[in-house]
Amino acid sequence: MDTFKIIRMKYLLSSIIFFCITKSTSGQISYQISGTLRNLAKTYIYLNHDISKNKIDSVFSENGDFMFNKSSKYPDLLYISVAGKSGRIPIFVSAGKIHIEASADSLGRAIVSGSSNHDFFKLVNRADLMGSFTSQEVTDYRKAVSSKDTVLQQSITKKVNERTTVAKKIMDSLLNRNPSSHVWSHHLASIRSFPNNPDHMKRLWEMYKRLARTVRKDDNGKLFVSNYKKAISSIRK
């Protein structure tokens, strides 16, 4: 369990971020996203919405420098992509100036600064991924199933279940500290495949109900409710 102690410590140290997070309110927010993409010249840089995939804006860059000045109804996850390059840079926007530093050849390793919402988004994402099978565990589990190695199957499942328990506690702590963050509605709306598990479905709905009203009523919150009801209807059939 030493691994879990280390994980808890990391999140404990990260908790200082919560005191810096600006509570989301209704109404328009304005933000500026600027930065430099190294190893890039004379091409288009795009700003897109994460869930809808709609293009918000684009700019032609001569030397990798770029700037977007935009506004939206509420904070949301956007991403930057580059013509002719693979990968993208996720940015959960906050009001104000957001700065990005990255290489055009490794967009996924970008450094995003100036957005407290983005910092919170990373914490939620890490906690969520903690309860999932790693790619190596998936490979090992498939081999165990193929070889009918039930001992290994049980061992892998136990490790994942232990991490899931820790992940749930961290997610609950994050939600208690900041139920008014629009990161949560995006998190719920991003669920592509709902589990055929009544307990898990119940937990998702309870998470939704704990959110601030402004978060439940944003576009992502409404999308989650629509997807959730369709999933429930499908399960009952």
Side-chain angles (χ1 to χ4, degrees):
M1 295 295 291
D2 289 345
T3 301
F4 303 125
K5 290 180 181 178
I6 293 173
I7 292 171
R8 290 192 186 98
M9 182 59 70
K10 286 182 179 180
Y11 278 86
L12 181 61
L13 293 174
S14 299
S15 64
I16 191 173
I17 292 175
F18 301 122
F19 296 100
C20 302
I21 292 176
T22 302
K23 300 296 183 179
S24 302
T25 58
S26 57
Q28 291 285 110
I29 66 163
S30 296
Y31 54 89
Q32 179 187 92
I33 303 174
S34 64
T36 300
L37 301 182
R38 299 183 301 277
N39 304 322
L40 186 69
K42 296 185 178 181
T43 192
Y44 278 95
I45 298 175
Y46 303 99
L47 181 65
N48 303 279
H49 185 262
D50 177 58
I51 290 182
S52 70
K53 310 304 180 187
N54 291 335
K55 185 178 76 173
I56 299 173
D57 203 352
S58 63
V59 62
F60 185 82
S61 177
E62 292 283 349
N63 57 3
D65 292 341
F66 66 92
M67 179 182 293
F68 296 104
N69 288 291
K70 309 301 294 182
S71 63
S72 60
K73 292 184 294 184
Y74 52 83
D76 205 350
L77 184 66
L78 313 180
Y79 66 86
I80 284 178
S81 59
V82 179
K85 297 290 183 179
S86 60
R88 63 183 191 173
I89 303 173
I91 314 156
F92 210 106
V93 299
S94 293
K97 295 183 178 181
I98 302 168
H99 188 70
I100 295 175
E101 287 290 341
S103 168
D105 300 318
S106 54
L107 297 177
R109 297 180 181 178
I111 297 175
V112 179
S113 58
S115 172
S116 57
N117 285 321
H118 188 78
D119 294 334
F120 189 67
F121 164 72
K122 290 193 295 183
L123 288 178
V124 171
N125 198 42
R126 287 172 190 163
D128 186 46
L129 291 175
M130 188 190 301
S132 304
F133 279 79
T134 65
S135 57
Q136 186 60 54
E137 286 171 336
V138 170
T139 299
D140 293 342
Y141 192 86
R142 287 174 176 171
K143 289 180 179 179
V145 171
S146 179
S147 63
K148 298 182 180 180
D149 187 341
T150 57
V151 174
L152 181 56
Q153 292 177 47
Q154 292 172 358
S155 175
I156 295 172
T157 301
K158 181 181 178 181
K159 289 180 180 178
V160 175
N161 288 340
E162 287 176 344
R163 290 205 309 271
T164 299
T165 299
V166 175
K168 287 179 179 178
K169 291 180 179 179
I170 293 173
M171 291 287 273
D172 283 340
S173 176
L174 295 174
L175 181 53
N176 288 336
R177 288 175 179 271
N178 197 13
S180 62
S181 172
H182 291 273
V183 168
W184 293 113
S185 55
H186 174 273
H187 172 72
L188 292 172
S190 297
I191 298 174
R192 295 288 183 260
S193 177
F194 285 86
N196 190 8
N197 182 313
D199 290 337
H200 195 158
M201 293 294 287
K202 181 181 178 181
R203 176 177 171 77
L204 290 175
W205 188 251
E206 289 176 346
M207 178 182 289
Y208 169 79
K209 291 194 298 182
R210 291 166 62 188
L211 302 179
R213 186 178 185 279
T214 53
V215 179
R216 296 197 308 271
K217 298 302 180 181
D218 71 20
D219 291 345
N220 288 333
K222 293 175 182 178
L223 178 60
F224 165 73
V225 172
S226 176
N227 292 341
Y228 184 90
K229 289 182 177 179
K230 290 177 182 178
I232 288 293
S233 177
S234 177
I235 291 174
R236 288 174 178 172
K237 291 180 182 179

